[in-house]
């Protein structure tokens, strides 16, 4: 019915199709792509390769950015000085060594997270090549280094050329290899006009000739930005991360004051404490576990997006995704498959299904649109019509009537028959103009299909019996498998889903009901999208949406999480704060889940860190004051070997737990779509209770092992 389109062609976000088809997991979500920017999960070998970076981070100018660990480093220095003053004191040296290890382990967690990004950046650098550009100077061409290109320059690229910089195609159409960016070997079509005009520097033209208008300066290309992002060079602390750092710093100051004022009381009680013991107490009191892992958690959150071929322009965007309250999802390509498909043939009362199917198929043989091909396929599958090699080339003597925006119908004249297929009004007018009668049931069938959310295409035939309507082809948007279940999960998270579509309200409502979304916006314009986002934000909600066209850019910029498709225009990619290299609109749902996983991981490990400090009190406080206050011995519920082994065991556990939690910080706490109340109860039960119990067990085991060492036990 509609005019044929080129591969991957679309006019707006609503018909976007992904450039690759990632595997789906059991819950309908994508598995990490095998793209070149993807990274694997935690590898123990990374601990060794990241050790030099961890040692370099011992620089106080670096450490001061993490107040908790800076205090531990200062304590390590002071402990080392006191140990040097008593070189034969094994306890002082043991405490000093383990305090230094605590700092190194903390740096190691961050270095491992950054190391994965650097490995991905090295791969991207290999894809970045210095090219010679064919710059247009009027009608002439001149060869210049790609580094000399400026915004607005026009360059020519033909088959075999590497595109020298980011830009938009302003002339021609070509097949482009983007495997250096997405890891997908299948080429994509880039052409002037529309929303698939953007090209990326470093990709390769495989066919034809295009003229590109450069839109970025040298050193600011998409690959350059990707390298900076995955390396962490552009990563800034998010508001929640800053707030948590302030809380940790405040707790550190409070415990520092508590330890400083503890010594006068100890002297008064006749139990003066060595400075090494006080420093050990301070390190065990302050929340070192979360202080050590906080930065790694943030970096790993961005890395999990990279594994799925999504680039977040800032950690703020990832965090905002976890707090999203409203999700704007385009209907076509996101909730439904990219194209309407013929679902059934509905004849009028004086025609048969076989007669209608035969005419519909004949009129669609030259229609190369997905809708037209689906009509041919339905007739073959349901009625076994024209199976095998029969096609437009084998139908001799046929005169094909192409679709135009004026006539709004297409068809064929063959064997003395005239067949037309198209919009209801156009086909009815054609029949009436030729003297035919239009029965009421033709209009009723079309109205019924429209009210059900489908698209009716009328089919008419003129033969020896005269012109008449045979019936209606029911074109239907097919909702993707598993979408209703995913919307149920989002609802459990407290997220409202809104379907955006250009369809009329009747069609939009039918699809929304079938898919299970909470609300819909029909006949949406760019202004409507902006107004909807602003209304939601005015109510204190965070909004996420996807887009790929220039007309989507304002809404992407307004949304708290704007995910631009890599196949889209430069304007869309500049406006969004995330770019999906796979150009898969359903990725937005995964992005929200990753954002929530980041927040849950940070909260869970903070709970664990604060909870496990409680057990350390039971190890150290009785050991310090049991001599002066024998009653405190009742708090020594672990029955540790001696005061020195108790303190040393707590310090060792404090260091080792950081290394033990590195894989969890990098991989993230498992996320389940449940309400906030259930999630809080679960985390308190698992990480709060676990944080209380684990140190009792760990410290006791370490104490038993230390007591077996000759000269100590």
């Amino acid at each position: 019915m509609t005019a044929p389109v080129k591969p991957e062609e679309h006019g707006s976000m609503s018909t976007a199709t992904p450039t690759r088809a990632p595997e789906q997991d059991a819950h309908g979500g994508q598995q990490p792509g095998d793209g070149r920017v993807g990274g694997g999960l935690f590898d123990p070998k990374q601990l060794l390769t990241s050790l030099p970076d961890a040692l370099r981070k011992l620089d106080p100018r670096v450490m001061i950015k993490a107040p908790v660990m800076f205090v531990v480093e200062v304590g390590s220095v002071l402990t080392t000085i006191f140990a040097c003053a008593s070189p034969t004191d094994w306890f002082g040296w043991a405490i000093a060594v383990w305090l230094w290890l605590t700092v190194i382990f903390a740096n190691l967690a961050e270095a491992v997270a950054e190391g994965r990004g650097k490995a991905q950046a090295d791969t991207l650098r290999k894809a970045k090549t210095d090219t010679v550009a064919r710059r247009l100077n009027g009608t002439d061409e001149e060869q210049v280094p790609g580094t000399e290109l400026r915004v607005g320059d026009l360059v020519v690229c033909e088959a075999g050329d590497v595109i020298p910089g980011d830009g938009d195609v302003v002339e021609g159409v070509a097949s482009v290899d983007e495997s250096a960016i997405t890891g997908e070997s299948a080429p994509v079509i880039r052409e002037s006009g529309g929303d698939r005009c953007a090209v990326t520097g470093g990709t390769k033209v495989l066919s034809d000739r295009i003229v590109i208008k450069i839109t970025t300066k040298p050193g600011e290309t998409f690959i350059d930005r990707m390298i900076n992002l995955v390396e962490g060079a552009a990563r800034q602390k998010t508001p929640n991360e800053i707030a948590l750092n302030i809380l940790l710093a405040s707790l550190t100051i409070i415990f520092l004051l508590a330890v400083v004022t503890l010594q006068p009381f100890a002297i008064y009680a006749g139990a003066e404490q060595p400075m090494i013991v006080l420093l050990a107490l301070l390190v065990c009191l302050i929340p070192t576990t979360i202080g050590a892992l906080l930065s790694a958690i943030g970096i790993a959150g961005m890395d999990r997006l990279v594994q799925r071929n999504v680039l977040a322009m800032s950690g703020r965007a990832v965090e905002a995704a976890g707090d999203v309250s409203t999700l704007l999802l385009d209907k076509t390509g996101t909730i439904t498959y990219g194209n309407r498909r013929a679902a059934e043939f509905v004849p009028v009362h004086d025609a048969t299904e076989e007669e209608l199917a035969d005419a519909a198929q004949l009129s669609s043989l030259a229609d190369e649109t997905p809708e037209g091909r689906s009509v041919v396929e339905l007739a073959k599958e349901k009625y076994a019509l024209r199976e095998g090699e029969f096609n437009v080339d084998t139908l001799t003597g046929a005169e094909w009537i192409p679709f135009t925006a004026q006539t709004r119908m297409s068809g064929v004249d063959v064997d003395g028959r005239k067949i037309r297929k198209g919009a209801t009004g156009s086909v009815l007018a054609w029949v009436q103009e030729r003297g035919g009668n239009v029965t009421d049931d033709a209009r009723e069938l079309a109205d019924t299909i429209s009210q059900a959310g489908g698209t009716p295409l009328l089919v008419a035939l003129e033969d020896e019996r005269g012109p008449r309507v045979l019936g209606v082809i029911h074109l239907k948007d097919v909702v993707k498998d598993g979408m209703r279940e995913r919307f149920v999960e989002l609802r459990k998270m407290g997220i409202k889903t809104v379907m955006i579509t250009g369809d009329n309200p009747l069609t939009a409502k039918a699809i929304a009901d079938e898919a299970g979304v909470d609300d819909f916006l029909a006949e949406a314009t760019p202004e409507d999208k902006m107004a909807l986002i602003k209304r939601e934000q005015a109510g204190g909600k965070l909004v996420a949406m996807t887009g790929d066209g220039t007309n989507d850019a304002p809404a992407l910029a307004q949304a708290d999480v704007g995910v631009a498709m890599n196949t889209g225009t430069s304007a869309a990619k500049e406006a969004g704060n995330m770019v999906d290299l796979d150009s898969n609109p359903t990725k937005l749902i995964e992005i929200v889940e990753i954002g929530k996983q980041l927040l849950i991981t940070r909260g869970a490990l903070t709970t664990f860190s604060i909870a496990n400090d409680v057990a350390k009190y039971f190890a150290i406080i009785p050991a310090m004051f049991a001599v002066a206050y024998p009653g405190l011995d009742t708090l020594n519920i672990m029955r540790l070997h001696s005061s020195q082994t108790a303190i040393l065991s707590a310090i060792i556990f404090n260091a080792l737990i950081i290394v033990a939690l590195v894989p969890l910080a990098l991989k993230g706490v498992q996320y389940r779509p449940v309400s906030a109340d259930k999630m809080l109860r679960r985390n308190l039960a698992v990480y709060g209770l676990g944080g209380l119990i684990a140190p009792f067990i760990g410290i006791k085991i370490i104490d038993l092992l230390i007591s077996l060492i000759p000269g100590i036990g």
Side-chain angles (χ1 to χ4, degrees):
M1 139 86 185
T2 53
V5 295
K6 297 180 179 67
E8 293 196 275
E9 178 178 285
H10 66 83
S12 70
M13 167 186 163
S14 63
T15 52
T17 53
T19 59
R20 62 194 301 183
E23 295 182 18
Q24 300 289 318
D25 63 22
H27 302 287
Q30 285 181 339
Q31 295 291 350
D34 59 358
R36 296 195 178 194
V37 295
L41 294 178
F42 176 71
D43 181 0
K45 293 180 181 178
Q46 291 176 327
L47 291 174
L48 186 60
T49 57
S50 301
L51 186 58
D53 287 333
L55 295 175
R56 280 192 287 270
K57 288 177 180 289
L58 291 175
D59 185 338
R61 293 170 296 182
V62 176
M63 292 297 301
I64 200 169
K65 297 177 183 178
V68 175
M69 299 317 300
F70 178 71
V71 170
V72 179
E73 184 176 42
V74 172
S76 304
V77 172
L78 294 176
T79 306
T80 304
I81 293 172
F82 291 126
C84 290
S86 303
T88 59
D89 181 13
W90 68 267
F91 176 73
W93 282 109
I95 294 293
V97 168
W98 280 101
L99 287 184
W100 278 114
L101 287 176
T102 302
V103 180
I104 292 172
F105 290 162
N107 290 345
L108 195 59
E110 184 175 6
V112 168
E114 291 176 346
R116 297 198 298 176
K118 290 177 181 178
Q120 294 156 4
D122 290 340
T123 303
L124 288 170
R125 283 195 181 91
K126 294 175 183 177
K128 181 183 176 183
T129 57
D130 293 328
T131 58
V132 175
R134 297 163 56 189
R135 185 169 61 187
L136 286 177
N137 186 6
T139 57
D140 299 327
E141 290 184 15
E142 57 177 343
Q143 292 194 342
V144 298
T147 53
E148 292 185 10
L149 293 175
R150 295 294 178 265
V151 176
D153 285 349
L154 296 177
V155 297
V156 176
C157 289
E158 294 180 327
D161 291 345
V162 174
I163 296 174
D166 293 358
D168 293 330
V169 178
V170 294
E171 181 184 321
V173 57
S175 176
V176 179
D177 175 12
E178 293 189 341
S179 59
I181 304 298
T182 66
E184 173 57 60
S185 58
V188 296
I189 301 299
R190 292 290 173 263
E191 58 187 332
S192 59
D195 297 335
R196 291 185 179 261
C197 60
V199 291
T200 304
T203 57
K204 188 176 183 180
V205 177
L206 300 179
S207 68
D208 302 294
R209 176 184 185 273
I210 51 176
V211 177
I212 301 166
K213 183 178 181 180
I214 299 298
T215 57
T216 57
K217 300 176 182 177
E220 297 179 6
T221 64
F222 190 58
I223 287 186
D224 290 316
R225 290 164 63 195
M226 287 170 64
I227 291 171
N228 288 335
L229 287 166
V230 297
E231 275 189 324
R235 199 188 93 83
Q236 296 178 342
K237 284 184 170 62
T238 62
N240 283 348
E241 197 173 345
I242 292 171
L244 185 54
N245 262 317
I246 292 172
L247 173 63
L248 297 181
S250 301
L251 289 174
T252 301
I253 293 172
I254 291 171
F255 287 125
L256 179 61
L257 293 174
V259 172
V260 168
T261 57
L262 189 63
Q263 185 71 313
F265 289 103
I267 294 172
Y268 175 79
E272 182 178 354
Q273 299 297 319
M275 286 301 298
I276 289 179
V277 171
L278 293 174
L279 289 169
L281 174 64
L282 175 63
V283 170
C284 286
L285 287 177
I286 63 178
T288 52
T289 306
I290 186 60
L293 298 173
L294 186 58
S295 182
I297 293 170
I299 295 171
M302 294 184 69
D303 184 68
R304 281 193 291 277
L305 279 179
V306 172
Q307 291 175 28
R308 287 159 176 80
N309 270 7
V310 177
L311 292 182
M313 301 307 170
S314 69
R316 184 188 297 264
V318 186
E319 198 167 87
D323 284 329
V324 160
S325 305
T326 304
L327 215 55
L328 304 188
L329 298 163
D330 195 66
K331 183 201 74 174
T332 309
T334 304
I335 295 174
T336 65
Y337 290 102
N339 307 294
R340 297 167 299 172
R341 297 185 60 83
E344 60 179 330
F345 300 118
V346 186
V348 296
H349 74 279
D350 58 350
T352 65
E353 284 191 40
E354 289 76 8
E355 186 181 14
L356 171 60
D358 178 71
Q361 188 189 54
L362 276 174
S363 66
S364 301
L365 288 174
D367 188 348
E368 290 301 318
T369 63
E371 294 91 343
R373 289 195 296 270
S374 73
V375 172
V376 175
E377 291 170 4
L378 181 63
K380 285 182 180 180
E381 293 171 2
K382 193 170 182 179
Y383 302 99
L385 293 175
R386 300 180 180 88
E387 294 182 297
E389 298 299 322
F390 190 90
N391 55 45
V392 64
D393 297 324
T394 60
L395 188 64
T396 57
E399 180 183 350
W400 301 101
I401 311 301
F403 172 87
T404 66
Q406 289 74 32
T407 63
R408 298 179 64 205
M409 62 182 181
S410 59
V412 62
D413 295 345
V414 62
D415 297 333
R417 295 184 293 171
K418 296 180 183 294
I419 305 172
R420 296 295 182 269
K421 173 195 71 175
T424 302
S426 299
V427 173
L428 292 179
W430 181 82
V431 172
Q432 291 172 335
E433 286 172 3
R434 307 184 76 82
N437 292 321
V438 177
T439 57
D440 291 337
D441 61 339
R443 289 190 178 90
E444 291 173 358
L445 287 173
D447 291 342
T448 300
I449 291 172
S450 294
Q451 290 170 5
T455 302
L457 292 182
L458 252 62
V459 179
L461 168 68
E462 183 180 11
D463 56 10
E464 65 276 1
R465 293 171 54 189
R468 64 192 186 279
V469 175
L470 294 178
V472 184
I473 303 171
H474 182 182
L475 293 181
K476 184 179 180 182
D477 278 310
V478 181
V479 175
K480 291 182 177 180
D481 295 336
M483 291 305 295
R484 175 175 281 275
E485 290 74 15
R486 300 202 72 175
F487 291 140
V488 170
E489 292 181 357
L490 290 170
R491 202 169 292 115
K492 289 179 181 177
M493 302 180 217
I495 296 176
K496 175 185 176 183
T497 52
V498 181
M499 183 184 77
I500 308 293
T501 178
D503 290 337
N504 63 70
L506 284 175
T507 301
K509 185 178 186 307
I511 296 297
D513 290 341
E514 184 179 354
V517 295
D518 298 313
D519 201 355
F520 65 89
L521 178 64
E523 298 176 344
T525 64
E527 292 78 14
D528 293 334
K529 295 177 187 178
M530 281 283 288
L532 174 60
I533 292 172
K534 288 180 178 179
R535 281 200 306 272
E536 293 292 320
Q537 290 173 332
K541 299 177 180 177
L542 296 187
V543 181
M545 73 162 288
T546 59
D548 60 357
T550 301
N551 63 335
D552 291 319
L556 286 171
Q558 180 67 35
D560 300 283
V561 180
V563 184
M565 302 294 101
N566 187 46
T567 55
T569 61
S570 298
K573 288 194 280 190
E574 289 292 333
N577 50 22
M578 291 189 187
V579 177
D580 177 17
L581 302 181
D582 293 331
S583 300
N584 180 0
T586 60
K587 194 79 70 72
L588 180 58
I589 297 174
E590 287 185 79
I591 290 169
V592 170
E593 292 177 350
I594 291 171
K596 286 191 173 295
Q597 186 184 37
L598 169 65
L599 296 178
I600 291 168
T601 302
R602 186 184 296 154
L605 292 184
T606 300
T607 302
F608 183 91
S609 177
I610 294 174
N612 80 34
D613 285 342
V614 175
K616 298 170 195 171
Y617 307 158
F618 285 93
I620 294 183
I621 298 298
M624 290 175 63
F625 295 103
V627 175
Y629 301 102
L632 286 177
D633 191 55
T634 57
L635 295 179
N636 185 17
I637 58 179
M638 288 181 275
R639 296 294 133 193
L640 301 178
H641 184 73
S642 67
S643 61
Q644 289 187 328
T645 62
I647 295 169
L648 181 57
S649 297
I651 289 294
I652 293 174
F653 176 84
N654 194 60
L656 294 180
I657 197 64
I658 294 173
V659 177
L661 291 176
V662 167
L664 183 61
L666 298 183
K667 186 178 179 181
V669 173
Q670 184 179 5
Y671 170 72
R672 291 188 179 91
V674 295
S675 65
D677 289 343
K678 289 183 179 179
M679 193 180 303
L680 177 61
R681 288 196 295 270
R682 173 179 172 270
N683 284 345
L684 286 176
V686 175
Y687 296 97
L689 189 59
L692 283 172
I693 296 174
F696 283 98
I697 299 173
I699 291 173
K700 180 61 177 178
I701 292 173
I702 294 171
D703 181 77
L704 289 173
L705 294 175
I706 292 175
S707 64
L708 296 176
I709 300 175
I712 296 178

Coordinates of all heavy atoms in Angstrom, one line a residue, residues 1-6 9 366-370 402-403:
M1 N 0.8 -1.2 0.0 CA 0.0 0.0 0.0 C 0.9 1.2 0.0 O 0.6 2.2 -0.7 CB -0.9 -0.1 1.2 CG -1.1 1.2 2.0 SD -2.5 2.1 1.3 CE -2.5 3.5 2.2
T2 N 1.9 1.3 0.8 CA 2.8 2.4 0.8 C 4.0 2.2 -0.1 O 4.3 1.1 -0.5 CB 3.3 2.6 2.3 OG1 3.9 1.4 2.7 CG2 2.2 3.0 3.2
A3 N 4.7 3.3 -0.4 CA 5.8 3.3 -1.3 C 6.9 2.5 -0.7 O 7.2 2.5 0.5 CB 6.3 4.7 -1.6
P4 N 7.7 1.7 -1.6 CA 8.8 1.0 -1.1 C 9.8 1.9 -0.4 O 10.0 3.0 -0.8 CB 9.4 0.3 -2.4 CG 8.2 0.3 -3.3 CD 7.4 1.5 -3.0
V5 N 10.5 1.3 0.6 CA 11.5 2.1 1.3 C 12.8 1.3 1.2 O 12.9 0.1 1.0 CB 11.2 2.3 2.7 CG1 10.0 3.2 2.9 CG2 10.9 1.0 3.4
K6 N 13.9 2.0 1.4 CA 15.2 1.4 1.4 C 15.5 0.7 2.7 O 14.8 1.0 3.7 CB 16.3 2.5 1.2 CG 16.2 3.2 -0.2 CD 17.3 4.2 -0.3 CE 17.3 4.9 -1.7 NZ 16.1 5.8 -1.8
E9 N 15.3 2.4 6.4 CA 14.7 3.7 6.3 C 13.6 4.0 7.2 O 12.8 3.1 7.5 CB 14.2 3.9 4.8 CG 13.6 5.3 4.6 CD 13.1 5.5 3.2 OE1 14.0 5.7 2.3 OE2 11.9 5.4 2.9
A366 N 3.9 -6.3 -6.3 CA 4.9 -5.3 -6.6 C 5.1 -4.4 -5.4 O 5.9 -3.5 -5.5 CB 4.4 -4.5 -7.8
D367 N 4.4 -4.7 -4.3 CA 4.6 -3.8 -3.1 C 5.7 -4.4 -2.3 O 5.5 -5.4 -1.6 CB 3.2 -3.8 -2.4 CG 3.2 -2.8 -1.2 OD1 4.3 -2.3 -0.9 OD2 2.2 -2.5 -0.7
E368 N 6.8 -3.7 -2.2 CA 8.0 -4.2 -1.5 C 8.0 -3.7 -0.1 O 9.0 -3.9 0.6 CB 9.3 -3.8 -2.2 CG 9.5 -4.5 -3.5 CD 9.6 -6.0 -3.3 OE1 10.2 -6.5 -2.3 OE2 9.0 -6.8 -4.1
T369 N 7.0 -3.0 0.4 CA 7.0 -2.6 1.8 C 6.7 -3.8 2.7 O 6.2 -4.8 2.2 CB 5.8 -1.6 2.0 OG1 4.6 -2.2 1.8 CG2 6.0 -0.4 1.1
P370 N 7.1 -3.8 3.9 CA 6.8 -4.9 4.8 C 5.3 -5.2 4.9 O 5.0 -6.4 5.0 CB 7.3 -4.4 6.2 CG 8.3 -3.4 5.9 CD 7.9 -2.7 4.6
P402 N 1.2 2.2 -9.1 CA 2.0 2.5 -7.9 C 1.2 3.3 -6.9 O 0.3 4.1 -7.3 CB 3.2 3.3 -8.4 CG 2.7 3.9 -9.7 CD 1.7 3.0 -10.3
F403 N 1.6 3.2 -5.7 CA 0.9 4.0 -4.6 C 1.4 5.5 -4.7 O 2.6 5.7 -5.0 CB 1.3 3.5 -3.3 CG 0.8 4.4 -2.1 CD1 -0.5 4.2 -1.6 CD2 1.7 5.3 -1.6 CE1 -0.9 5.0 -0.6 CE2 1.3 6.1 -0.5 CZ 0.0 6.0 0.0

